[in-house]
Amino acid sequence: MSADAKRSWGPLTEGLDLPHDLNLGNRSHALQQLGINKSAHTYFVAQLQEHLPQQEAAYLVSTRLWPLIAARMRSMDRDGVPLGRHLARLAPDDAPWRHGPPSKTPERLLLAAHHALTTPLDTPLPTGPRVSTTAARSRSTTAPTTAQAPAPAGAAVPAYRQQAAPAPRQGRGR
């Protein structure tokens, strides 16, 4: 699996079919890998520009992870979901993503766009990151257990096998 595919795995990709060799460093190649042709990409950008000022839409489209948002939009469009109604939830002047340091605007907008696209229309948008249990499980490094074994009371290595700390050096000092 490519580093981009591994790094991108999480709530942004939940439910999307990602290629194992996803390359987000090359925008046109990434869009092609995700099955988004130029006309579809133009359509998704136009949908975004209908609901956001041009500069803010440009922020979102310029993020490295934009192809994942475009892939989500493609999936929704194929399923007949009204993209415009979802994207319209990004527009209010009091939207939480608009508050904070300007340098973080693209990151906040990316997360807000994901929430706007994945939250049902009759549900308020979350104001912070959501935890994806599916993504969390997929990234876990521990095996699931049913019962937790108690921690050993003593050292795991017998005392006679443990290494002692090295003796302080003797000799001339400067």
Side-chain angles (χ1 to χ4, degrees):
M1 186 173 265
S2 74
D4 277 335
K6 287 179 188 174
R7 235 178 299 156
S8 301
W9 187 256
L12 240 60
T13 62
E14 196 169 340
L16 296 177
D17 187 22
L18 290 184
H20 290 292
D21 61 343
L22 181 63
N23 179 8
L24 293 172
N26 180 337
R27 167 88 31 123
S28 61
H29 183 64
L31 290 168
Q32 181 184 8
Q33 285 181 294
L34 294 167
I36 301 167
N37 62 30
K38 287 184 182 198
S39 64
H41 183 256
T42 302
Y43 171 71
F44 297 140
V45 171
Q47 285 286 306
L48 193 60
Q49 289 172 337
E50 279 185 36
H51 301 286
L52 286 174
Q54 188 172 358
Q55 182 180 6
E56 292 168 347
Y59 279 151
L60 183 57
V61 173
S62 69
T63 64
R64 181 177 173 89
L65 297 175
W66 162 252
L68 299 175
I69 296 295
R72 173 85 51 208
M73 292 172 77
R74 177 180 153 260
S75 174
M76 293 173 71
D77 191 52
R78 280 186 172 174
D79 293 343
V81 176
L83 284 176
R85 289 185 57 206
H86 282 269
L87 292 172
R89 300 189 296 173
L90 293 172
D93 288 336
D94 64 342
W97 68 265
R98 293 183 186 272
H99 308 290
S103 62
K104 298 284 187 181
T105 298
E107 183 181 318
R108 290 191 312 269
L109 184 53
L110 181 78
L111 184 61
H114 169 69
H115 287 227
L117 294 171
T118 58
T119 304
L121 290 171
D122 59 350
T123 305
L125 292 177
T127 57
R130 290 188 291 216
V131 174
S132 164
T133 55
T134 305
R137 266 188 244 107
S138 72
R139 296 189 78 161
S140 175
T141 57
T142 59
T145 59
T146 55
Q148 192 77 357
V157 177
Y160 67 90
R161 293 257 186 206
Q162 292 181 4
Q163 291 184 351
R169 289 187 128 171
Q170 302 278 330
R172 290 186 283 179
R174 291 190 180 200

PDB file of all heavy atoms in Angstrom, residues 19-46:
ATOM      1  N   PRO A  19      -7.374   2.975  -4.320  1.00  0.00           N
ATOM      2  CA  PRO A  19      -6.356   2.092  -4.886  1.00  0.00           C
ATOM      3  C   PRO A  19      -5.187   1.975  -3.911  1.00  0.00           C
ATOM      4  O   PRO A  19      -4.896   2.924  -3.169  1.00  0.00           O
ATOM      5  CB  PRO A  19      -5.940   2.804  -6.176  1.00  0.00           C
ATOM      6  CG  PRO A  19      -6.359   4.218  -6.002  1.00  0.00           C
ATOM      7  CD  PRO A  19      -7.514   4.225  -5.041  1.00  0.00           C
ATOM      8  N   HIS A  20      -4.526   0.824  -3.907  1.00  0.00           N
ATOM      9  CA  HIS A  20      -3.416   0.602  -2.978  1.00  0.00           C
ATOM     10  C   HIS A  20      -2.212   1.479  -3.306  1.00  0.00           C
ATOM     11  O   HIS A  20      -1.379   1.721  -2.444  1.00  0.00           O
ATOM     12  CB  HIS A  20      -3.000  -0.868  -2.960  1.00  0.00           C
ATOM     13  CG  HIS A  20      -4.017  -1.746  -2.308  1.00  0.00           C
ATOM     14  ND1 HIS A  20      -4.286  -1.690  -0.964  1.00  0.00           N
ATOM     15  CD2 HIS A  20      -4.847  -2.677  -2.814  1.00  0.00           C
ATOM     16  CE1 HIS A  20      -5.247  -2.556  -0.668  1.00  0.00           C
ATOM     17  NE2 HIS A  20      -5.607  -3.171  -1.775  1.00  0.00           N
ATOM     18  N   ASP A  21      -2.120   1.950  -4.537  1.00  0.00           N
ATOM     19  CA  ASP A  21      -0.980   2.778  -4.934  1.00  0.00           C
ATOM     20  C   ASP A  21      -1.378   4.240  -5.121  1.00  0.00           C
ATOM     21  O   ASP A  21      -0.822   4.940  -5.956  1.00  0.00           O
ATOM     22  CB  ASP A  21      -0.333   2.225  -6.202  1.00  0.00           C
ATOM     23  CG  ASP A  21      -1.299   2.208  -7.382  1.00  0.00           C
ATOM     24  OD1 ASP A  21      -2.527   2.314  -7.170  1.00  0.00           O
ATOM     25  OD2 ASP A  21      -0.821   2.080  -8.531  1.00  0.00           O
ATOM     26  N   LEU A  22      -2.322   4.714  -4.330  1.00  0.00           N
ATOM     27  CA  LEU A  22      -2.813   6.088  -4.435  1.00  0.00           C
ATOM     28  C   LEU A  22      -1.652   7.065  -4.307  1.00  0.00           C
ATOM     29  O   LEU A  22      -0.836   6.956  -3.407  1.00  0.00           O
ATOM     30  CB  LEU A  22      -3.849   6.369  -3.342  1.00  0.00           C
ATOM     31  CG  LEU A  22      -4.468   7.761  -3.342  1.00  0.00           C
ATOM     32  CD1 LEU A  22      -5.251   8.001  -4.628  1.00  0.00           C
ATOM     33  CD2 LEU A  22      -5.366   7.930  -2.140  1.00  0.00           C
ATOM     34  N   ASN A  23      -1.592   8.024  -5.228  1.00  0.00           N
ATOM     35  CA  ASN A  23      -0.514   9.008  -5.242  1.00  0.00           C
ATOM     36  C   ASN A  23      -1.116  10.402  -5.217  1.00  0.00           C
ATOM     37  O   ASN A  23      -1.427  10.962  -6.260  1.00  0.00           O
ATOM     38  CB  ASN A  23       0.355   8.812  -6.482  1.00  0.00           C
ATOM     39  CG  ASN A  23       1.476   9.821  -6.568  1.00  0.00           C
ATOM     40  OD1 ASN A  23       1.723  10.589  -5.645  1.00  0.00           O
ATOM     41  ND2 ASN A  23       2.169   9.825  -7.688  1.00  0.00           N
ATOM     42  N   LEU A  24      -1.267  10.964  -4.027  1.00  0.00           N
ATOM     43  CA  LEU A  24      -1.857  12.292  -3.887  1.00  0.00           C
ATOM     44  C   LEU A  24      -0.874  13.406  -4.237  1.00  0.00           C
ATOM     45  O   LEU A  24      -1.260  14.560  -4.337  1.00  0.00           O
ATOM     46  CB  LEU A  24      -2.388  12.494  -2.464  1.00  0.00           C
ATOM     47  CG  LEU A  24      -3.571  11.608  -2.092  1.00  0.00           C
ATOM     48  CD1 LEU A  24      -3.889  11.736  -0.605  1.00  0.00           C
ATOM     49  CD2 LEU A  24      -4.788  11.934  -2.925  1.00  0.00           C
ATOM     50  N   GLY A  25       0.381  13.058  -4.432  1.00  0.00           N
ATOM     51  CA  GLY A  25       1.383  14.040  -4.811  1.00  0.00           C
ATOM     52  C   GLY A  25       1.230  14.492  -6.251  1.00  0.00           C
ATOM     53  O   GLY A  25       1.732  15.543  -6.640  1.00  0.00           O
ATOM     54  N   ASN A  26       0.536  13.722  -7.057  1.00  0.00           N
ATOM     55  CA  ASN A  26       0.292  14.056  -8.458  1.00  0.00           C
ATOM     56  C   ASN A  26      -1.219  14.154  -8.620  1.00  0.00           C
ATOM     57  O   ASN A  26      -1.908  13.148  -8.765  1.00  0.00           O
ATOM     58  CB  ASN A  26       0.888  12.966  -9.358  1.00  0.00           C
ATOM     59  CG  ASN A  26       0.692  13.226 -10.828  1.00  0.00           C
ATOM     60  OD1 ASN A  26      -0.214  13.960 -11.235  1.00  0.00           O
ATOM     61  ND2 ASN A  26       1.537  12.607 -11.634  1.00  0.00           N
ATOM     62  N   ARG A  27      -1.739  15.373  -8.569  1.00  0.00           N
ATOM     63  CA  ARG A  27      -3.188  15.610  -8.548  1.00  0.00           C
ATOM     64  C   ARG A  27      -3.910  14.926  -9.700  1.00  0.00           C
ATOM     65  O   ARG A  27      -4.892  14.226  -9.494  1.00  0.00           O
ATOM     66  CB  ARG A  27      -3.432  17.123  -8.562  1.00  0.00           C
ATOM     67  CG  ARG A  27      -4.835  17.582  -8.857  1.00  0.00           C
ATOM     68  CD  ARG A  27      -5.746  17.709  -7.674  1.00  0.00           C
ATOM     69  NE  ARG A  27      -5.120  18.066  -6.465  1.00  0.00           N
ATOM     70  CZ  ARG A  27      -5.423  19.117  -5.739  1.00  0.00           C
ATOM     71  NH1 ARG A  27      -6.338  19.947  -6.135  1.00  0.00           N
ATOM     72  NH2 ARG A  27      -4.844  19.340  -4.600  1.00  0.00           N
ATOM     73  N   SER A  28      -3.472  15.130 -10.925  1.00  0.00           N
ATOM     74  CA  SER A  28      -4.192  14.563 -12.070  1.00  0.00           C
ATOM     75  C   SER A  28      -4.148  13.039 -12.039  1.00  0.00           C
ATOM     76  O   SER A  28      -5.138  12.382 -12.362  1.00  0.00           O
ATOM     77  CB  SER A  28      -3.653  15.107 -13.394  1.00  0.00           C
ATOM     78  OG  SER A  28      -2.289  14.771 -13.551  1.00  0.00           O
ATOM     79  N   HIS A  29      -3.021  12.488 -11.599  1.00  0.00           N
ATOM     80  CA  HIS A  29      -2.931  11.026 -11.500  1.00  0.00           C
ATOM     81  C   HIS A  29      -3.841  10.500 -10.392  1.00  0.00           C
ATOM     82  O   HIS A  29      -4.511   9.479 -10.555  1.00  0.00           O
ATOM     83  CB  HIS A  29      -1.480  10.608 -11.259  1.00  0.00           C
ATOM     84  CG  HIS A  29      -1.279   9.130 -11.208  1.00  0.00           C
ATOM     85  ND1 HIS A  29      -1.504   8.303 -12.295  1.00  0.00           N
ATOM     86  CD2 HIS A  29      -0.911   8.312 -10.192  1.00  0.00           C
ATOM     87  CE1 HIS A  29      -1.268   7.053 -11.952  1.00  0.00           C
ATOM     88  NE2 HIS A  29      -0.910   7.028 -10.677  1.00  0.00           N
ATOM     89  N   ALA A  30      -3.882  11.210  -9.259  1.00  0.00           N
ATOM     90  CA  ALA A  30      -4.744  10.786  -8.147  1.00  0.00           C
ATOM     91  C   ALA A  30      -6.208  10.803  -8.564  1.00  0.00           C
ATOM     92  O   ALA A  30      -6.958   9.867  -8.267  1.00  0.00           O
ATOM     93  CB  ALA A  30      -4.526  11.686  -6.930  1.00  0.00           C
ATOM     94  N   LEU A  31      -6.622  11.865  -9.247  1.00  0.00           N
ATOM     95  CA  LEU A  31      -8.013  11.939  -9.714  1.00  0.00           C
ATOM     96  C   LEU A  31      -8.306  10.793 -10.680  1.00  0.00           C
ATOM     97  O   LEU A  31      -9.368  10.172 -10.612  1.00  0.00           O
ATOM     98  CB  LEU A  31      -8.287  13.294 -10.363  1.00  0.00           C
ATOM     99  CG  LEU A  31      -8.308  14.485  -9.385  1.00  0.00           C
ATOM    100  CD1 LEU A  31      -8.289  15.797 -10.145  1.00  0.00           C
ATOM    101  CD2 LEU A  31      -9.499  14.399  -8.458  1.00  0.00           C
ATOM    102  N   GLN A  32      -7.356  10.515 -11.552  1.00  0.00           N
ATOM    103  CA  GLN A  32      -7.521   9.396 -12.497  1.00  0.00           C
ATOM    104  C   GLN A  32      -7.618   8.074 -11.742  1.00  0.00           C
ATOM    105  O   GLN A  32      -8.472   7.239 -12.047  1.00  0.00           O
ATOM    106  CB  GLN A  32      -6.346   9.364 -13.469  1.00  0.00           C
ATOM    107  CG  GLN A  32      -6.430   8.264 -14.501  1.00  0.00           C
ATOM    108  CD  GLN A  32      -5.174   8.226 -15.373  1.00  0.00           C
ATOM    109  OE1 GLN A  32      -4.194   8.911 -15.122  1.00  0.00           O
ATOM    110  NE2 GLN A  32      -5.221   7.401 -16.387  1.00  0.00           N
ATOM    111  N   GLN A  33      -6.759   7.884 -10.736  1.00  0.00           N
ATOM    112  CA  GLN A  33      -6.791   6.662  -9.933  1.00  0.00           C
ATOM    113  C   GLN A  33      -8.142   6.486  -9.247  1.00  0.00           C
ATOM    114  O   GLN A  33      -8.593   5.365  -9.029  1.00  0.00           O
ATOM    115  CB  GLN A  33      -5.688   6.682  -8.872  1.00  0.00           C
ATOM    116  CG  GLN A  33      -4.300   6.438  -9.396  1.00  0.00           C
ATOM    117  CD  GLN A  33      -3.292   6.461  -8.259  1.00  0.00           C
ATOM    118  OE1 GLN A  33      -3.065   7.486  -7.631  1.00  0.00           O
ATOM    119  NE2 GLN A  33      -2.715   5.307  -7.986  1.00  0.00           N
ATOM    120  N   LEU A  34      -8.766   7.585  -8.873  1.00  0.00           N
ATOM    121  CA  LEU A  34     -10.051   7.542  -8.175  1.00  0.00           C
ATOM    122  C   LEU A  34     -11.237   7.545  -9.135  1.00  0.00           C
ATOM    123  O   LEU A  34     -12.385   7.604  -8.707  1.00  0.00           O
ATOM    124  CB  LEU A  34     -10.144   8.712  -7.192  1.00  0.00           C
ATOM    125  CG  LEU A  34      -9.140   8.646  -6.031  1.00  0.00           C
ATOM    126  CD1 LEU A  34      -9.076   9.971  -5.291  1.00  0.00           C
ATOM    127  CD2 LEU A  34      -9.469   7.507  -5.096  1.00  0.00           C
ATOM    128  N   GLY A  35     -10.953   7.497 -10.436  1.00  0.00           N
ATOM    129  CA  GLY A  35     -12.016   7.401 -11.434  1.00  0.00           C
ATOM    130  C   GLY A  35     -12.727   8.710 -11.714  1.00  0.00           C
ATOM    131  O   GLY A  35     -13.895   8.711 -12.108  1.00  0.00           O
ATOM    132  N   ILE A  36     -12.029   9.835 -11.523  1.00  0.00           N
ATOM    133  CA  ILE A  36     -12.638  11.143 -11.751  1.00  0.00           C
ATOM    134  C   ILE A  36     -11.982  11.763 -12.985  1.00  0.00           C
ATOM    135  O   ILE A  36     -10.811  12.142 -12.942  1.00  0.00           O
ATOM    136  CB  ILE A  36     -12.449  12.060 -10.527  1.00  0.00           C
ATOM    137  CG1 ILE A  36     -13.093  11.399  -9.307  1.00  0.00           C
ATOM    138  CG2 ILE A  36     -13.030  13.442 -10.781  1.00  0.00           C
ATOM    139  CD1 ILE A  36     -12.724  12.024  -8.001  1.00  0.00           C
ATOM    140  N   ASN A  37     -12.747  11.848 -14.079  1.00  0.00           N
ATOM    141  CA  ASN A  37     -12.200  12.441 -15.298  1.00  0.00           C
ATOM    142  C   ASN A  37     -12.278  13.968 -15.218  1.00  0.00           C
ATOM    143  O   ASN A  37     -12.840  14.532 -14.271  1.00  0.00           O
ATOM    144  CB  ASN A  37     -12.896  11.886 -16.550  1.00  0.00           C
ATOM    145  CG  ASN A  37     -14.377  12.207 -16.572  1.00  0.00           C
ATOM    146  OD1 ASN A  37     -14.823  13.218 -16.044  1.00  0.00           O
ATOM    147  ND2 ASN A  37     -15.148  11.333 -17.190  1.00  0.00           N
ATOM    148  N   LYS A  38     -11.720  14.639 -16.234  1.00  0.00           N
ATOM    149  CA  LYS A  38     -11.650  16.113 -16.200  1.00  0.00           C
ATOM    150  C   LYS A  38     -13.021  16.765 -16.145  1.00  0.00           C
ATOM    151  O   LYS A  38     -13.222  17.739 -15.424  1.00  0.00           O
ATOM    152  CB  LYS A  38     -10.866  16.624 -17.403  1.00  0.00           C
ATOM    153  CG  LYS A  38      -9.392  16.374 -17.281  1.00  0.00           C
ATOM    154  CD  LYS A  38      -8.627  16.975 -18.440  1.00  0.00           C
ATOM    155  CE  LYS A  38      -7.167  16.632 -18.272  1.00  0.00           C
ATOM    156  NZ  LYS A  38      -6.297  17.469 -19.061  1.00  0.00           N
ATOM    157  N   SER A  39     -13.976  16.237 -16.895  1.00  0.00           N
ATOM    158  CA  SER A  39     -15.299  16.867 -16.894  1.00  0.00           C
ATOM    159  C   SER A  39     -15.989  16.691 -15.535  1.00  0.00           C
ATOM    160  O   SER A  39     -16.648  17.614 -15.053  1.00  0.00           O
ATOM    161  CB  SER A  39     -16.171  16.335 -18.029  1.00  0.00           C
ATOM    162  OG  SER A  39     -16.440  14.964 -17.850  1.00  0.00           O
ATOM    163  N   ALA A  40     -15.824  15.539 -14.917  1.00  0.00           N
ATOM    164  CA  ALA A  40     -16.405  15.322 -13.583  1.00  0.00           C
ATOM    165  C   ALA A  40     -15.734  16.249 -12.568  1.00  0.00           C
ATOM    166  O   ALA A  40     -16.403  16.848 -11.716  1.00  0.00           O
ATOM    167  CB  ALA A  40     -16.259  13.871 -13.158  1.00  0.00           C
ATOM    168  N   HIS A  41     -14.415  16.385 -12.677  1.00  0.00           N
ATOM    169  CA  HIS A  41     -13.691  17.253 -11.757  1.00  0.00           C
ATOM    170  C   HIS A  41     -14.169  18.694 -11.908  1.00  0.00           C
ATOM    171  O   HIS A  41     -14.426  19.392 -10.909  1.00  0.00           O
ATOM    172  CB  HIS A  41     -12.183  17.159 -11.997  1.00  0.00           C
ATOM    173  CG  HIS A  41     -11.395  17.968 -11.029  1.00  0.00           C
ATOM    174  ND1 HIS A  41     -10.810  19.165 -11.358  1.00  0.00           N
ATOM    175  CD2 HIS A  41     -11.124  17.756  -9.708  1.00  0.00           C
ATOM    176  CE1 HIS A  41     -10.198  19.661 -10.304  1.00  0.00           C
ATOM    177  NE2 HIS A  41     -10.368  18.828  -9.293  1.00  0.00           N
ATOM    178  N   THR A  42     -14.322  19.145 -13.131  1.00  0.00           N
ATOM    179  CA  THR A  42     -14.813  20.499 -13.399  1.00  0.00           C
ATOM    180  C   THR A  42     -16.207  20.689 -12.803  1.00  0.00           C
ATOM    181  O   THR A  42     -16.503  21.725 -12.202  1.00  0.00           O
ATOM    182  CB  THR A  42     -14.824  20.761 -14.915  1.00  0.00           C
ATOM    183  OG1 THR A  42     -13.493  20.586 -15.407  1.00  0.00           O
ATOM    184  CG2 THR A  42     -15.312  22.157 -15.241  1.00  0.00           C
ATOM    185  N   TYR A  43     -17.049  19.679 -12.927  1.00  0.00           N
ATOM    186  CA  TYR A  43     -18.401  19.736 -12.374  1.00  0.00           C
ATOM    187  C   TYR A  43     -18.357  19.857 -10.849  1.00  0.00           C
ATOM    188  O   TYR A  43     -19.085  20.668 -10.255  1.00  0.00           O
ATOM    189  CB  TYR A  43     -19.190  18.488 -12.800  1.00  0.00           C
ATOM    190  CG  TYR A  43     -20.513  18.337 -12.112  1.00  0.00           C
ATOM    191  CD1 TYR A  43     -21.581  19.176 -12.407  1.00  0.00           C
ATOM    192  CD2 TYR A  43     -20.700  17.350 -11.140  1.00  0.00           C
ATOM    193  CE1 TYR A  43     -22.808  19.035 -11.757  1.00  0.00           C
ATOM    194  CE2 TYR A  43     -21.906  17.202 -10.496  1.00  0.00           C
ATOM    195  CZ  TYR A  43     -22.956  18.044 -10.810  1.00  0.00           C
ATOM    196  OH  TYR A  43     -24.160  17.907 -10.163  1.00  0.00           O
ATOM    197  N   PHE A  44     -17.496  19.071 -10.189  1.00  0.00           N
ATOM    198  CA  PHE A  44     -17.427  19.110  -8.727  1.00  0.00           C
ATOM    199  C   PHE A  44     -16.890  20.454  -8.238  1.00  0.00           C
ATOM    200  O   PHE A  44     -17.372  21.004  -7.244  1.00  0.00           O
ATOM    201  CB  PHE A  44     -16.581  17.963  -8.184  1.00  0.00           C
ATOM    202  CG  PHE A  44     -17.150  16.611  -8.483  1.00  0.00           C
ATOM    203  CD1 PHE A  44     -16.330  15.552  -8.841  1.00  0.00           C
ATOM    204  CD2 PHE A  44     -18.520  16.378  -8.427  1.00  0.00           C
ATOM    205  CE1 PHE A  44     -16.861  14.312  -9.132  1.00  0.00           C
ATOM    206  CE2 PHE A  44     -19.064  15.132  -8.713  1.00  0.00           C
ATOM    207  CZ  PHE A  44     -18.223  14.099  -9.066  1.00  0.00           C
ATOM    208  N   VAL A  45     -15.904  21.000  -8.931  1.00  0.00           N
ATOM    209  CA  VAL A  45     -15.375  22.315  -8.557  1.00  0.00           C
ATOM    210  C   VAL A  45     -16.467  23.375  -8.741  1.00  0.00           C
ATOM    211  O   VAL A  45     -16.646  24.252  -7.888  1.00  0.00           O
ATOM    212  CB  VAL A  45     -14.108  22.652  -9.370  1.00  0.00           C
ATOM    213  CG1 VAL A  45     -13.674  24.098  -9.141  1.00  0.00           C
ATOM    214  CG2 VAL A  45     -12.973  21.699  -9.006  1.00  0.00           C
ATOM    215  N   ALA A  46     -17.223  23.295  -9.827  1.00  0.00           N
ATOM    216  CA  ALA A  46     -18.314  24.250 -10.075  1.00  0.00           C
ATOM    217  C   ALA A  46     -19.385  24.143  -8.987  1.00  0.00           C
ATOM    218  O   ALA A  46     -19.905  25.170  -8.527  1.00  0.00           O
ATOM    219  CB  ALA A  46     -18.928  24.018 -11.450  1.00  0.00           C
TER     220      ALA A  46
END
